[in-house]
Amino acid sequence: MKSRQSLMSRRALLKGAAVLAATAAVAPVAAQQNRKKPQQPGMRIRTREEVGYRDEPYLGRTCSRCVLYAGDGKCVILSEPVNPQAGARSGCPTPWVNG
């Protein structure tokens, strides 16, 4: 006859395996739900006031020609939608796309 200790040990092993399997099945789903738009290192979301956003071009610069413009009225560093024909005084890098 087997000892009570070996039965307890087997139960603990099976419980541990069940918990491990459940965790492995749930972890990818939880990671997918927590995934947000990746933010580039050193970049932080700013407000329109912080970058000096204007509804008209600034010195001939428009959002649609900026390297931070993501299309569909979205800017990488702004939390609010932007007008592609608008501009900003600061917060935007100097390399503008020609065209």
Side-chain angles (χ1 to χ4, degrees), residues 15-70:
K15 282 182 183 179
V19 168
L20 181 64
T23 303
V26 173
V29 174
Q32 183 73 16
Q33 290 175 349
N34 290 333
R35 189 175 296 163
K36 293 183 178 178
K37 183 179 174 184
Q39 191 173 355
Q40 296 177 359
M43 301 284 253
R44 69 176 180 84
I45 303 299
R46 295 174 171 87
T47 63
R48 289 181 174 193
E49 291 79 26
E50 287 179 296
V51 298
Y53 178 85
R54 299 176 170 200
D55 283 323
E56 69 257 352
Y58 178 72
L59 299 176
R61 299 176 179 171
T62 61
C63 290
S64 63
R65 293 177 54 205
C66 179
V67 296
L68 297 176
Y69 183 67

